[in-house]
């Protein structure tokens, strides 16, 4: 069972930046993603990366502000978040699954098998 370990969450003021990390050990698939879930809301896909060709997906709400990447040497995925807004406040989850490129980049939460424990991001105005 692949384990994903997230870190990097915290509290920042609006306009600030945070970088989330997601370490993994034995995962050999090509698809990783970040999801978030705010209280009372459904889990939503924020960003995804297909490592076969480094293609990425971003939700419109974070396009231009968030960057997903993966360090193949250290088996770590990152989510760099800039210009943070109060509406970005949520629990953020790293996820991975052996999906095709097209499916990966559509970030279907139900098709992701491996999940991290979540890391809280709080943005104050």
């Amino acid at each position: 069972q692949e384990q994903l370990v997230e870190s990097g969450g915290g509290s920042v003021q609006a306009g600030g930046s945070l970088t989330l990390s997601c370490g993994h050990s034995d995962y050999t698939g090509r698809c990783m993603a970040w999801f978030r879930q705010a209280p009372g809301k459904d889990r939503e896909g924020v960003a995804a990366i297909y490592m076969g060709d480094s293609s990425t997906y971003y939700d419109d709400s974070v396009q231009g502000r968030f960057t997903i990447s993966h360090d193949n040497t250290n088996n770590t995925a990152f989510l760099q978040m800039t210009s943070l807004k109060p509406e970005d406040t949520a629990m953020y989850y790293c996820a991975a699954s052996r999906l095709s490129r097209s499916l990966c980049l559509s970030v279907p939460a139900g098709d992701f098998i491996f999940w991290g424990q979540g890391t809280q991001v709080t943005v104050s105005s």
Side-chain angles (χ1 to χ4, degrees), residues 57-78:
Y57 158 87
Y58 296 97
D59 184 78
D60 288 345
S61 64
V62 306
Q63 180 75 47
R65 300 187 298 121
F66 289 12
T67 302
I68 188 172
S69 61
H70 186 268
D71 181 342
N72 295 330
T73 300
N74 294 304
N75 291 337
T76 304
F78 299 95

Side-chain angles (χ1 to χ4, degrees), residues 28-85:
T28 58
R30 299 183 178 186
C31 177
M32 295 193 72
W34 288 92
F35 291 79
R36 66 185 180 188
Q37 187 166 20
K41 295 188 176 181
D42 292 335
R43 188 170 296 189
E44 62 175 352
V46 173
I49 183 167
Y50 184 74
M51 293 175 281
D53 60 5
S54 298
S55 297
T56 56
Y57 158 87
Y58 296 97
D59 184 78
D60 288 345
S61 64
V62 306
Q63 180 75 47
R65 300 187 298 121
F66 289 12
T67 302
I68 188 172
S69 61
H70 186 268
D71 181 342
N72 295 330
T73 300
N74 294 304
N75 291 337
T76 304
F78 299 95
L79 184 68
Q80 295 174 279
M81 306 183 294
T82 64
S83 301
L84 283 161
K85 305 175 181 180

Side-chain angles (χ1 to χ4, degrees):
Q1 180 78 8
E2 176 62 46
Q3 288 189 328
L4 307 179
V5 181
E6 299 128 335
S7 62
S11 297
V12 296
Q13 290 189 327
S17 301
L18 283 173
T19 296
L20 307 182
S21 300
C22 175
H24 58 91
S25 55
D26 299 322
Y27 178 63
T28 58
R30 299 183 178 186
C31 177
M32 295 193 72
W34 288 92
F35 291 79
R36 66 185 180 188
Q37 187 166 20
K41 295 188 176 181
D42 292 335
R43 188 170 296 189
E44 62 175 352
V46 173
I49 183 167
Y50 184 74
M51 293 175 281
D53 60 5
S54 298
S55 297
T56 56
Y57 158 87
Y58 296 97
D59 184 78
D60 288 345
S61 64
V62 306
Q63 180 75 47
R65 300 187 298 121
F66 289 12
T67 302
I68 188 172
S69 61
H70 186 268
D71 181 342
N72 295 330
T73 300
N74 294 304
N75 291 337
T76 304
F78 299 95
L79 184 68
Q80 295 174 279
M81 306 183 294
T82 64
S83 301
L84 283 161
K85 305 175 181 180
E87 49 264 44
D88 294 319
T89 295
M91 185 71 80
Y92 283 72
Y93 298 90
C94 174
S97 197
R98 292 176 179 82
L99 302 177
S100 67
R101 178 184 180 279
S102 59
L103 193 58
C104 175
L105 298 181
S106 68
V107 285
D111 288 336
F112 279 82
I113 296 174
F114 306 114
W115 291 85
Q117 79 285 358
T119 185
Q120 178 68 36
V121 172
T122 302
V123 185
S124 59
S125 58

